[in-house]
Amino acid sequence: MSQVQLSRFWVVIPAAGVGSRMCADRPKQYLRLAGRCILEHTLDRFIDHPALAGLVVCLASDDPYWPNLDYARDARILRAAGGRERCDSVLNGLQRLSEAGASADDWVLVHDAARPNLARDDLNRLLVELADDPVGGLLAVPARDTLKRVGPQGRVVETVDRSVIWQAFTPQMFRLGMLRAALDSALAGGLQVTDEASAMEWAGHSPRVIEGRADNLKVTRPEDLAWLERCWQGERHA
């Protein structure tokens, strides 16, 4: 394959959540995985990429764990205040990028702090496929299992056509100015913003889906962490 010139990009990682479903003694991004915390592994996926222009981590003001990481002293990583919701953190991160010299037309990739298994090939595919896209898009995978819509009584109402259903992952890649405007508009309209693509949809855009690997797992429950441990141990012993 010939060398492809990848678009320059910035990264925003919202990392102010508490991860209550993990039932742990600390936010899930600081849980240990293969000798380091999850957030460190996530940062590893971007920090040495040759097309990276800069990276912002959005942290809670009273975060006691970040200062203890080596990355806290890395000049390539900026810090922004975490917000009450994910979208608030992302908006703070976008503002920090603007202050650091990012322009409204620059690409920004928003990635979950607790998604440490992003493959470099998936990241590069996203950058190549969306380089000239007028909107941007996100990594996702098509639904594999039969899907059921369930009513309030816990009974199946219908089987959903899975051929048109995709599971949204991150990174999600949009122009800084467009994403900021979309998030502002969604919040003003009272939308419950669960990811950046939903804000772009609210603003009338149609983000493009780029198929990625299904193992780009977001650690949400204890079994997710155990699965990654087994997966990475297998890779080391292969």
Side-chain angles (χ1 to χ4, degrees):
M1 180 178 177
S2 60
Q3 184 67 29
V4 176
Q5 182 64 41
L6 299 177
S7 300
R8 294 283 289 173
F9 68 96
W10 305 79
V11 174
V12 171
I13 297 181
V18 298
S20 58
R21 281 177 288 182
M22 288 297 294
C23 300
D25 65 346
R26 64 192 63 197
K28 62 185 175 182
Q29 61 268 26
Y30 292 113
L31 294 175
R32 304 290 287 182
L33 173 64
R36 303 169 74 205
C37 76
I38 291 173
L39 180 56
E40 289 175 294
H41 291 294
T42 299
L43 292 169
D44 285 344
R45 302 296 171 168
F46 298 99
I47 199 66
D48 290 323
H49 196 287
L52 178 69
L55 189 151
V56 175
V57 180
C58 308
L59 301 165
S61 60
D62 58 349
D63 185 326
Y65 304 103
W66 172 257
N68 297 321
L69 304 185
D70 288 340
Y71 271 134
R73 292 168 289 282
D74 193 314
R76 296 169 294 180
I77 298 177
L78 305 173
R79 177 172 174 170
R84 187 169 62 90
E85 302 292 344
R86 173 196 174 93
C87 55
D88 300 310
S89 293
V90 173
L91 278 170
N92 290 344
L94 296 178
Q95 177 60 33
R96 186 69 182 90
L97 288 182
S98 295
E99 294 168 356
S103 73
D105 289 331
D106 284 350
W107 286 114
V108 176
L109 277 64
V110 182
H111 188 65
D112 297 323
R115 203 179 288 272
N117 203 38
L118 171 66
R120 178 57 65 92
D121 285 348
D122 275 6
L123 174 56
N124 288 341
R125 185 178 306 113
L126 192 72
L127 295 172
V128 170
E129 295 292 332
L130 298 181
D132 299 317
D133 195 273
V135 176
L138 64 153
L139 286 178
V141 295
R144 295 181 174 183
D145 300 319
T146 299
L147 301 173
K148 304 291 185 181
R149 188 166 68 86
V150 178
Q153 303 303 317
R155 296 187 178 276
V156 173
V157 174
E158 66 173 336
T159 299
V160 180
D161 180 7
R162 69 180 181 187
S163 69
V164 297
I165 302 297
W166 288 63
Q167 185 176 355
F169 285 177
T170 67
Q172 302 195 0
M173 173 174 164
F174 302 104
R175 303 282 185 185
L176 189 156
M178 290 178 66
L179 178 56
R180 181 162 52 195
L183 287 168
D184 283 336
S185 175
L187 289 175
L191 179 70
Q192 186 71 19
V193 179
T194 56
D195 69 349
E196 293 65 49
S198 61
M200 295 294 285
E201 295 158 32
W202 171 267
H205 305 295
S206 296
R208 184 177 169 194
V209 167
I210 304 298
E211 184 171 355
R213 287 172 43 157
D215 61 359
N216 183 13
L217 178 73
K218 182 179 180 181
V219 177
T220 304
R221 300 181 182 277
E223 57 264 32
D224 300 328
L225 195 62
W227 184 90
L228 276 177
E229 284 277 12
R230 293 193 299 270
C231 178
W232 288 5
Q233 285 175 359
E235 289 177 355
R236 288 196 296 271
H237 296 148

Tab-separated table of all heavy atoms in Angstrom, residues 204-230:
chain	number	residue	atom	x	y	z
A	204	GLY	N	-28.580	18.765	11.971
A	204	GLY	CA	-28.977	18.537	10.588
A	204	GLY	C	-27.934	17.877	9.713
A	204	GLY	O	-28.117	17.751	8.502
A	205	HIS	N	-26.840	17.408	10.320
A	205	HIS	CA	-25.778	16.744	9.562
A	205	HIS	C	-25.958	15.230	9.606
A	205	HIS	O	-26.617	14.696	10.490
A	205	HIS	CB	-24.410	17.117	10.126
A	205	HIS	CG	-24.161	18.594	10.196
A	205	HIS	ND1	-24.076	19.389	9.072
A	205	HIS	CD2	-23.997	19.419	11.266
A	205	HIS	CE1	-23.850	20.642	9.434
A	205	HIS	NE2	-23.807	20.692	10.760
A	206	SER	N	-25.331	14.553	8.658
A	206	SER	CA	-25.374	13.085	8.615
A	206	SER	C	-23.958	12.539	8.705
A	206	SER	O	-23.265	12.396	7.688
A	206	SER	CB	-26.037	12.606	7.319
A	206	SER	OG	-27.389	13.004	7.260
A	207	PRO	N	-23.480	12.231	9.911
A	207	PRO	CA	-22.125	11.704	10.063
A	207	PRO	C	-21.949	10.388	9.315
A	207	PRO	O	-22.883	9.591	9.195
A	207	PRO	CB	-21.989	11.495	11.571
A	207	PRO	CG	-22.998	12.417	12.179
A	207	PRO	CD	-24.144	12.435	11.209
A	208	ARG	N	-20.757	10.187	8.823
A	208	ARG	CA	-20.441	8.960	8.093
A	208	ARG	C	-19.929	7.896	9.055
A	208	ARG	O	-19.175	8.190	9.983
A	208	ARG	CB	-19.373	9.237	7.028
A	208	ARG	CG	-19.052	8.052	6.143
A	208	ARG	CD	-18.054	8.417	5.076
A	208	ARG	NE	-17.546	7.243	4.385
A	208	ARG	CZ	-16.476	7.248	3.602
A	208	ARG	NH1	-15.811	8.374	3.400
A	208	ARG	NH2	-16.070	6.137	3.016
A	209	VAL	N	-20.337	6.667	8.827
A	209	VAL	CA	-19.909	5.542	9.657
A	209	VAL	C	-18.726	4.845	8.986
A	209	VAL	O	-18.782	4.505	7.803
A	209	VAL	CB	-21.071	4.550	9.856
A	209	VAL	CG1	-20.566	3.235	10.429
A	209	VAL	CG2	-22.117	5.154	10.783
A	210	ILE	N	-17.652	4.656	9.740
A	210	ILE	CA	-16.479	3.922	9.286
A	210	ILE	C	-16.379	2.645	10.115
A	210	ILE	O	-16.284	2.712	11.349
A	210	ILE	CB	-15.186	4.752	9.454
A	210	ILE	CG1	-15.305	6.097	8.721
A	210	ILE	CG2	-13.981	3.957	8.970
A	210	ILE	CD1	-15.484	5.986	7.224
A	211	GLU	N	-16.426	1.508	9.458
A	211	GLU	CA	-16.408	0.247	10.196
A	211	GLU	C	-15.038	0.010	10.829
A	211	GLU	O	-14.001	0.111	10.175
A	211	GLU	CB	-16.772	-0.930	9.298
A	211	GLU	CG	-16.860	-2.247	10.059
A	211	GLU	CD	-17.437	-3.390	9.240
A	211	GLU	OE1	-17.856	-3.144	8.091
A	211	GLU	OE2	-17.474	-4.526	9.760
A	212	GLY	N	-15.067	-0.287	12.126
A	212	GLY	CA	-13.837	-0.578	12.850
A	212	GLY	C	-13.887	-1.961	13.476
A	212	GLY	O	-14.795	-2.752	13.213
A	213	ARG	N	-12.928	-2.229	14.314
A	213	ARG	CA	-12.842	-3.522	14.983
A	213	ARG	C	-13.794	-3.580	16.166
A	213	ARG	O	-13.976	-2.604	16.895
A	213	ARG	CB	-11.407	-3.769	15.468
A	213	ARG	CG	-10.446	-4.074	14.353
A	213	ARG	CD	-9.003	-4.129	14.809
A	213	ARG	NE	-8.802	-4.851	16.069
A	213	ARG	CZ	-7.636	-5.400	16.429
A	213	ARG	NH1	-6.594	-5.306	15.625
A	213	ARG	NH2	-7.529	-6.002	17.593
A	214	ALA	N	-14.372	-4.752	16.370
A	214	ALA	CA	-15.336	-4.923	17.458
A	214	ALA	C	-14.679	-4.943	18.829
A	214	ALA	O	-15.351	-4.763	19.845
A	214	ALA	CB	-16.128	-6.219	17.247
A	215	ASP	N	-13.350	-5.130	18.884
A	215	ASP	CA	-12.677	-5.186	20.184
A	215	ASP	C	-12.235	-3.805	20.685
A	215	ASP	O	-11.482	-3.705	21.649
A	215	ASP	CB	-11.491	-6.155	20.159
A	215	ASP	CG	-10.416	-5.761	19.160
A	215	ASP	OD1	-10.575	-4.739	18.449
A	215	ASP	OD2	-9.390	-6.483	19.080
A	216	ASN	N	-12.729	-2.753	20.036
A	216	ASN	CA	-12.491	-1.389	20.520
A	216	ASN	C	-13.454	-1.140	21.686
A	216	ASN	O	-14.357	-0.309	21.632
A	216	ASN	CB	-12.723	-0.393	19.374
A	216	ASN	CG	-12.443	1.047	19.753
A	216	ASN	OD1	-11.851	1.327	20.793
A	216	ASN	ND2	-12.882	1.963	18.913
A	217	LEU	N	-13.223	-1.859	22.743
A	217	LEU	CA	-14.172	-1.994	23.851
A	217	LEU	C	-14.102	-0.809	24.807
A	217	LEU	O	-13.021	-0.345	25.161
A	217	LEU	CB	-13.856	-3.284	24.614
A	217	LEU	CG	-14.696	-3.623	25.841
A	217	LEU	CD1	-16.088	-4.063	25.419
A	217	LEU	CD2	-14.021	-4.723	26.657
A	218	LYS	N	-15.266	-0.343	25.246
A	218	LYS	CA	-15.336	0.650	26.316
A	218	LYS	C	-15.533	-0.077	27.640
A	218	LYS	O	-16.496	-0.838	27.806
A	218	LYS	CB	-16.494	1.621	26.080
A	218	LYS	CG	-16.597	2.709	27.141
A	218	LYS	CD	-17.760	3.646	26.839
A	218	LYS	CE	-17.888	4.740	27.877
A	218	LYS	NZ	-19.037	5.642	27.602
A	219	VAL	N	-14.629	0.130	28.567
A	219	VAL	CA	-14.729	-0.518	29.871
A	219	VAL	C	-15.862	0.132	30.648
A	219	VAL	O	-15.799	1.313	31.009
A	219	VAL	CB	-13.404	-0.417	30.642
A	219	VAL	CG1	-13.548	-1.027	32.026
A	219	VAL	CG2	-12.278	-1.107	29.872
A	220	THR	N	-16.912	-0.636	30.884
A	220	THR	CA	-18.092	-0.143	31.582
A	220	THR	C	-18.401	-0.981	32.815
A	220	THR	O	-18.847	-0.458	33.834
A	220	THR	CB	-19.316	-0.157	30.642
A	220	THR	OG1	-19.007	0.612	29.467
A	220	THR	CG2	-20.538	0.445	31.311
A	221	ARG	N	-18.174	-2.273	32.711
A	221	ARG	CA	-18.460	-3.194	33.807
A	221	ARG	C	-17.209	-4.006	34.150
A	221	ARG	O	-16.288	-4.099	33.337
A	221	ARG	CB	-19.608	-4.141	33.421
A	221	ARG	CG	-20.909	-3.389	33.097
A	221	ARG	CD	-22.021	-4.352	32.734
A	221	ARG	NE	-23.248	-3.641	32.376
A	221	ARG	CZ	-24.145	-3.181	33.246
A	221	ARG	NH1	-23.941	-3.388	34.537
A	221	ARG	NH2	-25.221	-2.541	32.840
A	222	PRO	N	-17.167	-4.612	35.345
A	222	PRO	CA	-15.978	-5.374	35.738
A	222	PRO	C	-15.584	-6.452	34.740
A	222	PRO	O	-14.393	-6.701	34.526
A	222	PRO	CB	-16.396	-5.985	37.085
A	222	PRO	CG	-17.387	-5.019	37.641
A	222	PRO	CD	-18.153	-4.509	36.446
A	223	GLU	N	-16.560	-7.086	34.095
A	223	GLU	CA	-16.220	-8.149	33.142
A	223	GLU	C	-15.494	-7.625	31.906
A	223	GLU	O	-14.759	-8.354	31.249
A	223	GLU	CB	-17.470	-8.934	32.735
A	223	GLU	CG	-18.595	-8.102	32.136
A	223	GLU	CD	-19.639	-7.702	33.146
A	223	GLU	OE1	-19.285	-7.500	34.331
A	223	GLU	OE2	-20.813	-7.583	32.757
A	224	ASP	N	-15.705	-6.325	31.578
A	224	ASP	CA	-14.986	-5.730	30.454
A	224	ASP	C	-13.491	-5.650	30.752
A	224	ASP	O	-12.647	-5.933	29.901
A	224	ASP	CB	-15.504	-4.324	30.160
A	224	ASP	CG	-16.981	-4.302	29.816
A	224	ASP	OD1	-17.464	-5.282	29.221
A	224	ASP	OD2	-17.650	-3.300	30.129
A	225	LEU	N	-13.165	-5.259	31.961
A	225	LEU	CA	-11.768	-5.166	32.373
A	225	LEU	C	-11.120	-6.542	32.386
A	225	LEU	O	-9.984	-6.710	31.919
A	225	LEU	CB	-11.688	-4.525	33.754
A	225	LEU	CG	-10.319	-4.026	34.218
A	225	LEU	CD1	-9.801	-2.929	33.315
A	225	LEU	CD2	-10.402	-3.539	35.657
A	226	ALA	N	-11.846	-7.534	32.883
A	226	ALA	CA	-11.321	-8.898	32.908
A	226	ALA	C	-11.096	-9.419	31.493
A	226	ALA	O	-10.099	-10.098	31.210
A	226	ALA	CB	-12.286	-9.807	33.668
A	227	TRP	N	-12.008	-9.089	30.569
A	227	TRP	CA	-11.860	-9.540	29.179
A	227	TRP	C	-10.607	-8.941	28.550
A	227	TRP	O	-9.840	-9.638	27.862
A	227	TRP	CB	-13.098	-9.147	28.374
A	227	TRP	CG	-13.056	-9.655	26.959
A	227	TRP	CD1	-13.525	-10.858	26.500
A	227	TRP	CD2	-12.500	-8.984	25.818
A	227	TRP	NE1	-13.295	-10.971	25.143
A	227	TRP	CE2	-12.664	-9.844	24.705
A	227	TRP	CE3	-11.881	-7.753	25.645
A	227	TRP	CZ2	-12.231	-9.486	23.427
A	227	TRP	CZ3	-11.439	-7.400	24.369
A	227	TRP	CH2	-11.623	-8.250	23.279
A	228	LEU	N	-10.374	-7.649	28.768
A	228	LEU	CA	-9.186	-7.013	28.202
A	228	LEU	C	-7.908	-7.599	28.789
A	228	LEU	O	-6.914	-7.787	28.076
A	228	LEU	CB	-9.228	-5.509	28.448
A	228	LEU	CG	-10.022	-4.681	27.443
A	228	LEU	CD1	-10.038	-3.218	27.869
A	228	LEU	CD2	-9.461	-4.813	26.035
A	229	GLU	N	-7.917	-7.884	30.071
A	229	GLU	CA	-6.754	-8.504	30.711
A	229	GLU	C	-6.416	-9.822	30.016
A	229	GLU	O	-5.254	-10.084	29.670
A	229	GLU	CB	-7.005	-8.740	32.202
A	229	GLU	CG	-6.929	-7.509	33.070
A	229	GLU	CD	-5.500	-7.152	33.467
A	229	GLU	OE1	-4.555	-7.722	32.882
A	229	GLU	OE2	-5.343	-6.283	34.339
A	230	ARG	N	-7.436	-10.657	29.800
A	230	ARG	CA	-7.201	-11.946	29.157
A	230	ARG	C	-6.736	-11.759	27.716
A	230	ARG	O	-5.843	-12.466	27.232
A	230	ARG	CB	-8.481	-12.790	29.195
A	230	ARG	CG	-8.897	-13.237	30.580
A	230	ARG	CD	-9.970	-14.318	30.511
A	230	ARG	NE	-11.177	-13.845	29.837
A	230	ARG	CZ	-12.197	-13.264	30.459
A	230	ARG	NH1	-12.136	-13.059	31.780
A	230	ARG	NH2	-13.270	-12.893	29.797
